[in-house]
Amino acid sequence: MYFLILFFTILYAVLAWKRLDLGTALLIMLLPVYQIRFSIFGLPFTLLEAMILILFFVWLVKSWQAKELPLFN
């Protein structure tokens, strides 16, 4: 089970990196994945939380690289 979750999160991160809009659309379509639960280093997570965190960090890194955030100018 953990292998499938890891595989899915890696594929989702690659998709979000290539096309941020498709990553957002997939996140909205897969809202019911909040029922899939797992833990990382003893912290409980849901697959939806992992997808939100991945999407946020991809957006943050891409915005930082493009110098679009006023915080980093």
Side-chain angles (χ1 to χ4, degrees), residues 20-59:
L20 197 61
D21 57 340
L22 285 180
T24 305
L26 188 63
L27 175 77
I28 292 170
M29 284 178 19
L30 294 177
L31 282 176
V33 298
Y34 71 90
Q35 297 177 356
I36 300 173
R37 298 183 183 276
F38 60 97
S39 63
I40 299 175
F41 301 116
L43 294 173
F45 278 98
T46 64
L47 193 55
L48 181 63
E49 291 170 345
M51 290 173 66
I52 291 170
L53 288 174
I54 288 170
L55 191 66
F56 173 73
F57 284 119
V58 166
W59 170 80

Side-chain angles (χ1 to χ4, degrees), residues 55-68:
L55 191 66
F56 173 73
F57 284 119
V58 166
W59 170 80
L60 188 67
V61 169
K62 288 183 93 166
S63 296
W64 178 69
Q65 287 179 346
K67 306 273 191 234
E68 293 177 354

